[in-house]
Amino acid sequence: HINTNTNVHNYRERKHISTKMNQQGTDFSGTLNYLGQMSYRAVNDFKSYMNPRDYYSTVSEEFSESRESSFTMVEENPRMMEAVNGSDFLSSKYESLDYDVMENELYYERERTHGSLQHLYVSLVRWLLMLSIGCTVGLFAVGLDLAMTHMAEGKYELIKNTITRCLDYGCTCWAFLMWITIDCSLILFAATLAVYAGPAACGSGVPEIKCYLNGVKIPEVVRLKTLIVKSIGVICVVVGGLAGGREGPMIHIGSIIAAGISQGRANSVRFDILKCFPKIAKVFENFRNDKEKRDFVSAGAAAGVSAAFGAPIGGVLFSLEEGASFWNQALTWRIFFASMSSAFVVTVILSAVNDHLGAITYQGLVNFGQFPYENCHIDTWDIFTVIILGIMGGLLGALFNSLSFRLTLFRRKYLNRIRACRIIEAVVVSLISTTISFSAVYFFSDCHSLRTYEESKYAEHHPVQLFCADGEYNALATLIFTTPEESIKKLFHNPKLAYSCLHLVFFFVVYFMLTCWVFGLCVPAGLFVPALLTGATMGRSFGEGLHALFPNSEWVVPGKYAVIGSAAFLGGVSHMTLSLTVILIETTGNTSYGLLIMVTVMIAKWIGSLFQEGIYEASIKLKSIPLLSWEHPETATNLQAKDVMASPVCTFQPVEQVGKIIAVLSHTNHNGFPVVEGQGNNNTHDDHFTYGQYRGFINRSQLIILLKHKVFFKDLRAPYRPPYLPLYYFKTEYPRFPSIDSIHTTVEEDSHFIDLHPYMNRGTYTVTINASYPRIFCLFRALGLRHIVIVNENNEVVGIVTRKDLGRFRETKRCGKPKLEHLDIR
Ligand code: ATP
Ligand code: MG
């Protein structure tokens, strides 16, 4: 029966036929089922009677079943009893990246043929790519900035004028309607675009990039489509007046640009430099692997921070703190170069646009302005105020994270199932925030004398008069009728008594709630600037309060407390420390506040972590992304490789039959396979089944490429071997390899063989069965591995551990007592 089907190529079709045959009463499938229930070695005896593909599919099905039962065994292990029944789970949607270089024969051959000149050339191209990443990110940032600034200015000017005109004609409600229509339409457009065209562009993108840099592939996160949706969306969000910033999205945009430039391809427009210019662009082959791509993406993220804040050092530190687990000196220098180039491009173009061509004076897109010398004085009293603000920032940050966590759970339960609901929610938030802004302007007349305002160094923008008398300006409206960045600048620099303390508290509460609500919306919006603005309002109101208490004290400078407050709140929310401190120092151009900012950020983080983890970590956990934390769970120290590993292991022989490879790939979703010599047995003293002598490791993607290009040979005994499949074929498919279902072979080809020797990695990391969990964790974390093979003392394979297998162990605290949970993967 089987041999009559030789012309049916597709595996699924054949399976369908076998099911049909079963329904018709043939005993073929029955035989397979029978074989499926037998042990591996018993099935081995039937090998000669069957087509290789069907035989091996039986075996691999059996593997999958045993895999399940081995999970049950692991979970029944008394040492792990406490680990089961975790309420949380990890999503199988997210695959791991592999930062370990595939060092196989092809790789060595290329390295051998590369002379020192070639290495120099690759290194030069790497630097040039870093330069082009920096410059492109800078150009992109300026483009976004100009679009946003002009649109926002136009909108606020129009509304201001309409309100002023309406004061005479009594048509204020029309002005209100106009304001709401503009804002809601922009947000409706942004949300629709994000929900339908690019869901990966929702939010700031910082958690996703953090995951990417730490070895988790988030679908569509570095695609061109996401870049377009993110850019258009963020313009609409900022102009639409939602409490969302552009700085987080700039980090995401920088990363996408870096991924595209470094790989020389954009799949959405079917462009691949390797295919278009195979000779000139051959050097790009060197960059087509997860490790190189990650390094470029780190540079892109740093360039994004640098362009957004004008903070090149902050950018490098952001990548270091939030991103790459593996770091070296050369990389630091390259990333700094990209970061600097991006800041430089932004500075030069913005200077030219603002009529200062040649004078490189404009910092990044966010420039919080220089503090005058007399305000930089730090008094002993400041230490106490910094501690108080740090504690306030930590507590309010924890409250913010907790509210945002609950809101996300609610959203997931009731809103996210229907896509239209996500759009409606965004529009409702826009409606509410515009209504609050309007009501604040309308009902609170926070009028101050214009003379106070003109004392300010940053009074170049006309103050908003609105409902105030001539010679006065409306301080609250001045904060509302502008972009959040401008509002922060005003809070930092306006003189004492420029705002009423009560109105600042009102603004703080409203902005706090709105920022919290906007954070989880499906629109491209970041958290940095809204959180800085919330914190600045907190600090400024504290400063104004202090000034009311000590009216004659020189050391009370409310602007200084606004800077410290913004650091404290963002520190309490994000739990970033190093990069946040440096970014704030760079954006204010003020090193004398450095110590104060550092102390407050540190305190805010400590206090915040007593209650909650950082907002980015929390959002990663909520999305069930299998990210390895910085440290292994303390309670997992008594686990060993044998408690964590998967067994039985699907392995291949160095020269393997095509049918078996196809069957195993079709029946399992494993992404890597140990290559072994010899058969397994369970005669070892520690009672672990072994799967042959370990020889090397091969990835699913490589096997699929070998099958696709049919690198087969017929006869094991004949000396003929097909020539090596060049590296080019693996690189052009990277990173989206075909699926096994797209591979078609005839039954005759199924009995052919593939020689895996040249393609397998012979130098992978292995650990022995008694290695401790922390040791394996360190290897995965530091080297960015995806798999590790567990061997016994004779170098025989006994198990395999993946990054996700480790990530499944998570420590939770119940009633203050740490507990180890073993999460499901769904
Ligand atoms: P990722 O897919 O992100 O690399 P994963 O943990 O899902 O990570 P898979 O390769 O999909 O890894 O394998 C799923 C499960 O099967 C894991 O628990 C892993 O330990 C196990 N596994 C991986 N490779 C093999 C293999 N060759 N033989 C048997 N079990 C394996
Ligand atoms: Mg998987």
Side-chain angles (χ1 to χ4, degrees), residues 592-754:
S592 37
Y593 288 166
L595 179 74
L596 302 184
I597 295 175
M598 191 196 82
V599 174
T600 201
V601 165
M602 211 152 69
I603 294 172
K605 192 206 152 151
W606 283 341
I607 299 286
S609 359
L610 289 181
F611 302 94
Q612 283 276 328
E613 52 202 338
I615 190 107
Y616 297 131
E617 282 81 22
S619 108
I620 289 169
K621 241 183 211 177
L622 270 173
K623 288 182 185 160
S624 305
I625 300 177
L627 180 77
L628 286 191
S629 49
W630 290 113
E631 301 287 340
H632 61 80
E634 280 300 322
T635 35
T637 40
N638 63 341
L639 295 182
Q640 287 180 312
K642 54 189 169 208
D643 302 319
V644 189
M645 72 190 189
S647 170
V649 187
C650 294
T651 56
F652 292 118
Q653 297 291 316
V655 175
E656 191 53 272
Q657 210 164 11
V658 172
K660 173 179 173 183
I661 297 178
I662 293 185
V664 171
L665 294 186
S666 311
H667 277 84
T668 67
N669 52 8
H670 303 323
N671 287 301
F673 302 90
V675 181
V676 296
E677 245 171 85
Q679 293 297 326
N681 64 71
N682 64 349
N683 296 332
T684 50
H685 66 275
D686 54 359
D687 213 24
H688 284 287
F689 201 98
T690 60
Y691 301 92
Q693 284 275 335
Y694 183 56
R695 289 289 174 260
F697 198 83
I698 191 141
N699 289 334
R700 164 181 279 262
S701 54
Q702 290 173 290
L703 291 169
I704 289 182
I705 299 296
L706 294 175
L707 290 169
K708 183 178 168 186
H709 294 281
K710 299 191 188 274
V711 195
F712 308 152
F713 62 95
K714 218 175 186 173
D715 192 352
L716 265 183
R717 276 153 301 183
Y720 170 77
R721 292 286 183 272
Y724 289 180
L725 187 70
L727 217 45
Y728 170 84
Y729 292 96
F730 296 91
K731 300 296 179 182
T732 45
E733 300 281 356
Y734 175 84
R736 274 186 258 167
F737 296 96
S739 86
I740 187 65
D741 292 335
S742 64
I743 304 296
H744 307 300
T745 50
T746 61
V747 168
E748 198 200 334
E749 281 172 338
D750 285 354
S751 58
H752 290 181
F753 295 90
I754 298 185

Side-chain angles (χ1 to χ4, degrees), residues 216-320:
V216 184
K217 195 192 295 175
I218 312 283
E220 304 198 335
V221 78
V222 286
R223 293 260 184 97
L224 182 65
K225 183 176 80 174
T226 310
L227 174 73
I228 295 169
V229 173
K230 194 119 207 167
S231 317
I232 300 176
V234 77
I235 295 178
C236 295
V237 166
V238 173
V239 179
L242 217 54
R246 58 186 158 179
E247 291 66 25
M250 251 334 286
I251 297 171
H252 192 180
I253 288 172
S255 308
I256 305 177
I257 291 175
I261 291 183
S262 66
Q263 301 301 297
R265 75 191 299 170
N267 283 339
S268 321
V269 289
R270 295 180 190 283
F271 171 76
D272 183 351
I273 199 167
L274 267 185
K275 283 185 185 156
C276 298
F277 313 101
K279 287 222 169 90
I280 313 168
K282 202 169 168 11
V283 64
F284 276 84
E285 277 184 14
N286 293 280
F287 310 129
R288 295 240 174 133
N289 60 55
D290 287 345
K291 181 178 169 289
E292 289 279 352
K293 193 170 167 186
R294 177 209 47 194
D295 290 352
F296 285 110
V297 170
S298 310
V305 177
S306 166
F309 292 102
I313 304 172
V316 177
L317 294 178
F318 174 84
S319 279
L320 179 63

Side-chain angles (χ1 to χ4, degrees), residues 67 71 94-97 644-651 669-674 786-787 800-805 808 825:
R67 175 86 193 90
F71 266 123
Y94 305 105
E95 297 246 293
S96 306
L97 293 161
V644 189
M645 72 190 189
S647 170
V649 187
C650 294
T651 56
N669 52 8
H670 303 323
N671 287 301
F673 302 90
R786 188 176 189 178
H787 303 95
I800 186 165
V801 175
T802 64
R803 176 175 261 267
K804 258 188 221 158
D805 289 336
R808 293 175 73 174
I825 297 184

Side-chain angles (χ1 to χ4, degrees), residues 542-557:
F542 178 82
E544 295 285 355
L546 218 55
H547 179 64
L549 281 179
F550 308 101
N552 299 323
S553 306
E554 277 296 305
W555 55 272
V556 179
V557 181

